[in-house]
Amino acid sequence: MSTKPLIAVAGAAGKQGRSVAAALLRSGGGGRVRALTRNPNASQARLLAQAGAEVVAAPLLWDRRRHG
């Protein structure tokens, strides 16, 4: 198990989240980056994975059509 702190970035495939995640990855500050995104297969999410982020699916909005 890693002792490095885990930093989760919500909306990581969007403009703001992507820039935050990328900055954290570039800084090498010792933390692990978990990129939360609706679609882990999106091109921006894949780029974050290639840069070293752990990309996970995390739809943060409740969809009434799907869940009632």
Side-chain angles (χ1 to χ4, degrees), residues 23-60:
L24 289 167
L25 290 165
R26 279 193 311 271
S27 74
R32 298 173 292 145
V33 176
R34 180 171 293 160
L36 309 177
T37 180
R38 285 180 290 185
N39 181 3
N41 296 314
S43 61
Q44 296 301 329
R46 289 194 313 265
L47 289 173
L48 287 171
Q50 290 172 357
E54 174 191 356
V55 178
V56 296
L60 300 176

Side-chain angles (χ1 to χ4, degrees), residues 4-21:
K4 293 181 179 181
L6 174 64
I7 303 166
V9 179
K15 289 181 182 179
Q16 282 188 301
R18 183 172 62 244
S19 66
V20 169

